[in-house]
Amino acid sequence: MGSLSHVSLFSGAGGLDLGFDRAGFEAMVMVEKNRYARETLQASKEHFRPSDFELFEDINDLTGEDLLTAAGVQRGALDLLSGGPPCQPFSTAGHRRSVVDPRGSLLGRYLQLVGELEPRFFVLENVRGVLSAALRHRPLARRGDGHRPLRPDEQLGSLLSQVILPTIQDGLGYQVAYGLVNAADYGVPQVRERVIFIGSRDHELCEAGQTPEFDELLQPTHAKSPTQGRPAWRTLGDALGGLVQTDFEVSRYSPTRASVFDKIPPGKNWRYIRDHYSDGYLRSVMGGAYSSTGGRVGFWRRLSFEGPCPTLPTSPIQKATSLCHPLETRPLSVAEYARVQQFPDGYPFMGPTSAKYVQIGNAVPVGLAEAVARAVARLAGGRTPSEPPRSPLTSSRAQLPACQSAASAVA
């Protein structure tokens, strides 16, 4: 069939794009605002086809026409638009300001560009919190007894039900399937949950009159325990096996923190200190987290080669996000981080060490991206990119004003 045309938004260090590249999609254009990630993409062009893709900085400075011109395609002729708008506004680990946060408006901009480019397919990636985020977040301290009832736009899941799905389905006229996936289920040596939306302009996700089943489109290839022909999850040991670190780059623990990690065996965390040392010592190493009732699994965590890695954070040395090497008293190195995210060895991450951890930690695992890409490629197998779309574009164009109105609600 030949390669499929692809425009990538919020490209980061290129994890999503590497996966799509392996499935036959050519990233003609990438857009990334972060300086160091953009430098990484520029330096890594040899890992992509074509290697001369256009690279832009700020999505807010671009129009759909700019992207189409750079990609060399007309409106409606692009096979795929992909991207993962910044997820911090929707993360359950953050303050969940939702679309009140200016970064939340980038989700609206992404959907607007779907309307301006009219790709045959789009893939939207985000954190699991996007499923439960409210259109307008009300802090917990202002809920419950003594406070007024939640308004519809303050209800959990209102961002999805009131904006995202209506914009995609009613405004843009796209068929959509979405679901929460665990990267470990697709051969990634990491437990990492993400939400994936797959949109189809020509309603190719399922037969007419049926509802798209996400689990049918993106079937897991691995399982926590071997079952039904699927092998077990890949482990950290699988990921790091045979790695030769010619340029050893790693953040370091302070001597005080290192002395605590020296006491913790592989696969254990702060609970090992609780169970084997005095309560006074536990108080001293846990600090304010001693009295917390949750969210402590990452404290004083030493990894194990025997299972998949936990979700990589953007820093492996913070108190709540410790990722200590199984055998050595140090965090995972930059090269080991990259292996867990399945970047090819030698991939040229640019910037200071801290910026490299951020780029890798924010990336979509390459193996998960490839699984999504192959699902889309199978759908695209019904016609070559040069053939006309199966349904006219007039219907989605007629609906575009409604989409713009809904996307404005996101912004």
Side-chain angles (χ1 to χ4, degrees):
M1 184 178 66
S3 59
L4 299 160
S5 56
H6 175 202
V7 168
S8 165
L9 308 178
F10 310 104
S11 305
L16 188 64
D17 305 301
L18 283 170
F20 274 91
D21 183 272
R22 293 178 181 179
F25 289 85
E26 290 190 358
M28 319 301 291
V29 179
M30 294 190 189
V31 182
E32 174 52 47
K33 188 174 183 179
N34 179 272
R35 167 193 168 188
Y36 295 121
R38 199 167 58 254
E39 291 178 1
T40 293
L41 292 173
Q42 188 68 45
S44 66
K45 283 192 170 185
E46 66 181 43
H47 291 275
F48 295 94
R49 52 181 179 178
S51 60
D52 60 345
F53 58 80
E54 293 283 345
L55 180 58
F56 293 100
E57 179 176 347
D58 192 341
I59 191 173
N60 290 315
D61 294 335
L62 298 168
T63 66
E65 189 61 35
D66 293 331
L67 295 172
L68 292 172
T69 299
V73 297
Q74 296 181 339
R75 182 173 180 171
L78 181 69
D79 289 296
L80 173 73
L81 179 70
S82 74
C87 58
Q88 292 92 335
F90 316 124
S91 174
T92 56
H95 296 292
R96 302 211 74 179
R97 296 184 62 198
S98 196
V99 292
V100 177
D101 190 314
R103 293 169 297 184
S105 66
L106 294 176
L107 172 61
R109 183 67 187 125
Y110 177 93
L111 295 176
Q112 287 173 344
L113 285 171
V114 171
E116 293 176 28
L117 274 64
E118 292 184 344
R120 183 181 174 192
F121 297 100
F122 75 79
V123 169
L124 172 64
E125 174 270 339
N126 221 283
V127 293
R128 67 175 299 162
V130 75
L131 298 178
S132 59
L135 185 58
R136 184 174 297 276
H137 177 64
R138 187 193 297 186
L140 290 175
R142 293 167 50 199
R143 303 185 192 190
D145 295 342
H147 298 281
R148 60 174 174 79
L150 293 176
R151 299 181 307 192
D153 64 353
E154 295 174 329
Q155 297 285 347
L156 293 179
S158 58
L159 176 65
L160 179 69
S161 63
Q162 296 181 31
V163 175
I164 296 177
L165 294 180
T167 298
I168 293 171
Q169 297 170 324
D170 303 327
L172 292 165
Y174 275 64
Q175 189 182 55
V176 64
Y178 65 94
L180 179 68
V181 299
N182 183 347
D185 288 335
Y186 300 90
V188 178
Q190 179 186 182
V191 174
R192 188 184 188 99
E193 291 186 324
R194 283 296 183 269
V195 176
I196 303 293
F197 294 83
I198 300 176
S200 168
R201 181 195 63 205
D202 301 338
H203 291 214
E204 300 174 77
L205 303 184
C206 62
E207 296 296 328
Q210 297 183 356
T211 301
E213 294 291 340
F214 184 83
D215 291 343
E216 293 296 319
L217 293 174
L218 192 63
Q219 297 183 6
T221 59
H222 292 65
K224 187 172 183 179
S225 298
T227 180
Q228 298 179 342
R230 286 186 283 156
W233 284 348
R234 298 186 67 231
T235 68
L236 179 64
D238 295 330
L240 303 189
L243 175 62
V244 177
Q245 302 188 67
T246 56
D247 183 17
F248 193 80
E249 187 172 4
V250 66
S251 294
R252 294 290 182 183
Y253 297 130
S254 68
T256 300
R257 296 197 70 196
S259 68
V260 178
F261 275 115
D262 281 338
K263 298 177 173 62
I264 300 175
K268 304 297 183 181
N269 62 3
W270 68 274
R271 294 185 183 90
Y272 187 84
I273 301 173
R274 178 197 64 190
D275 296 340
H276 293 82
Y277 293 87
S278 70
D279 186 69
Y281 183 66
L282 179 64
R283 284 179 179 272
S284 70
V285 300
M286 293 296 287
Y290 175 86
S291 301
S292 298
T293 57
R296 294 184 290 179
V297 67
F299 277 81
W300 304 110
R301 177 171 51 194
R302 185 183 283 275
L303 301 176
S304 168
F305 287 131
E306 303 306 314
C309 185
T311 301
L312 292 185
T314 53
S315 171
I317 61 172
Q318 302 304 314
K319 284 186 176 181
T321 59
S322 298
L323 290 181
C324 187
H325 188 276
L327 302 180
E328 302 174 32
T329 303
R330 61 168 177 81
L332 293 181
S333 68
V334 169
E336 289 164 341
Y337 243 56
R339 272 286 186 96
V340 171
Q341 289 281 57
Q342 300 178 309
F343 282 92
D345 290 349
Y347 195 78
F349 297 100
M350 307 301 287
T353 300
S354 59
K356 295 177 182 180
Y357 279 120
V358 169
Q359 291 174 63
I360 302 170
N362 278 334
V364 177
V366 176
L368 174 59
E370 184 176 355
V372 175
R374 293 198 179 281
V376 177
R378 286 192 293 271
L379 295 169
R383 66 171 175 85
T384 65
S386 60
E387 289 179 333
R390 293 178 182 172
S391 59
L393 295 177
T394 52
S395 59
S396 60
R397 285 177 179 152
Q399 295 284 353
L400 191 55
C403 166
Q404 290 173 330
S405 174
S408 297
V410 179

